[in-house]
Amino acid sequence: MALLDIPLPVFMGQLLIGLINGAFYAVLSLGLALIFGLLNIVNFAHGALYMVGAFVAFLLLDIMGIGYWPSLLLAPVIVGLFGMVIERLLLRPLADLDHLYGLLLTFGLALLLEGAFRHFYGVSGERYAIPDSLQGVFNLGFMFLPVYRAWVIVASLIVCIATWLLIEKTRLGATMRAAVENADLVRAFGVNVPLLVTVTYGFGVALAAFAGVLAAPIYSVNPLMGSNIIIVVFAIVVIGGLGSIKGAVISGFLLGLCEGLTRVFWPEASNIVIFVVMAVVLVVRPAGLFGKAA
């Protein structure tokens, strides 16, 4: 069977790769949009913290024998706590300054983290095995779907929906959004706003680490894995609308699929298609697809 002269297994295979990339884009964009939307911090270290999440999972296994499933919880917690320390010690003193200072600081932090892991582990990458319970494939008739890749898509969807519900439908999320709009008023109700900011930044960083653990068995654990993806993730956040959680998730999955389809019909353009979409969106709708005009 062929679709537009392209064998169906090839077409569906590229579509699947696009969907998996979209799952990573969605989770990473979600964390980035959360941090920018609620805290107004342009977190250029997000890609490096995604890489650190993968390395924490690798080190937990290599040093302590802790496997994939506990690491899926422990690595985001550890990296999230690390992110809270970053916010408290480095970013908070810059809170009243121009956003550019935070961007430059997080950019420097990303270079520092990447350089440190390159020093100790090189750039060849470390192998992280797929857990036994997620080995094998599903036979869909027209193609074989690896179980682990199906799990990545499902896990990403669950985390994205849960985070959206937390921010949009709970009292805690309402308090977070109110603190952005009027911190003094929220503080008057007895809410510890600085602590809320620290926890929110840590949660956004934990999402990056979660994506890193999911990616480790697919791409291997590499100090460059964050810098390879962060520019694309920034483009997706811009397309979805800066600070829009719904926009980050929907744009992440759609642009992953768009990238996969481009790889089928015009492989040479697959690396730039997201940036072309970003340019078109900025011309037609500068606030992004789901963003609010200033």
Side-chain angles (χ1 to χ4, degrees):
M1 184 180 294
L3 185 66
L4 299 175
D5 294 331
I6 297 172
L8 188 58
V10 174
F11 180 83
M12 296 304 296
Q14 291 299 331
L15 212 57
L16 174 63
I17 291 173
L19 193 58
I20 293 167
N21 287 339
F24 289 121
Y25 294 159
V27 177
L28 283 168
S29 303
L30 177 62
L32 206 55
L34 187 69
I35 291 171
F36 183 83
L38 297 181
L39 308 180
N40 285 325
I41 296 172
V42 183
N43 187 30
F44 220 90
H46 208 66
L49 293 165
Y50 157 75
M51 174 271 292
V52 172
F55 262 102
V56 168
F58 167 75
L59 292 172
L60 285 173
L61 179 64
D62 190 52
I63 298 174
M64 304 176 69
I66 296 176
Y68 175 84
W69 293 109
S71 294
L72 206 56
L73 176 64
L74 288 175
V77 170
I78 293 169
V79 181
L81 290 173
F82 178 55
M84 291 169 70
V85 173
I86 292 172
E87 193 283 331
R88 182 66 185 83
L89 298 182
L90 301 178
L91 291 171
R92 188 171 300 179
L94 306 179
D96 296 328
L97 302 179
D98 190 277
H99 297 325
L100 183 62
Y101 289 90
L103 187 151
L104 291 174
L105 187 142
T106 53
F107 180 64
L109 184 63
L111 293 179
L112 186 67
L113 289 171
E114 185 180 300
F117 279 94
R118 287 178 68 174
H119 175 74
F120 289 108
Y121 295 98
V123 294
S124 57
E126 303 288 343
R127 182 177 176 275
Y128 191 91
I130 295 174
D132 292 341
S133 54
L134 295 175
Q135 296 278 358
V137 296
F138 294 119
N139 185 356
L140 302 181
F142 53 87
M143 66 174 288
F144 291 99
L145 172 62
V147 174
Y148 187 77
R149 283 162 172 74
W151 156 247
V152 167
I153 295 169
V154 172
S156 300
L157 277 171
I158 292 172
V159 167
C160 289
I161 293 171
T163 303
W164 180 80
L165 290 173
L166 173 69
I167 300 300
E168 299 291 338
K169 303 295 180 183
T170 68
R171 184 181 178 86
L172 175 62
T175 305
M176 286 178 174
R177 288 182 279 118
V180 174
E181 297 293 333
N182 194 330
D184 291 334
L185 180 63
V186 174
R187 195 178 289 114
F189 282 96
V191 177
N192 188 336
V193 175
L195 178 62
L196 194 64
V197 169
T198 302
V199 171
T200 304
Y201 185 84
F203 183 67
V205 167
L207 287 173
F210 179 80
V213 181
L214 286 179
I218 295 180
Y219 301 120
S220 83
V221 182
N222 189 310
L224 302 179
M225 61 192 291
S227 57
N228 291 339
I229 198 171
I230 189 62
I231 300 300
V232 174
V233 173
F234 264 107
I236 290 170
V237 171
V238 171
I239 292 169
L242 284 173
S244 169
I245 292 172
K246 181 172 66 175
V249 174
I250 295 175
S251 299
F253 278 103
L254 287 180
L255 290 165
L257 287 171
C258 178
E259 192 179 57
L261 288 173
T262 307
R263 196 173 286 117
V264 174
F265 296 106
W266 193 7
E268 296 83 358
S270 61
N271 290 331
I272 63 168
V273 65
I274 289 178
F275 301 102
V276 173
V277 173
M278 181 182 73
V280 173
V281 168
L282 285 177
V283 170
V284 176
R285 189 176 167 79
L289 296 177
F290 297 90
K292 297 177 182 176

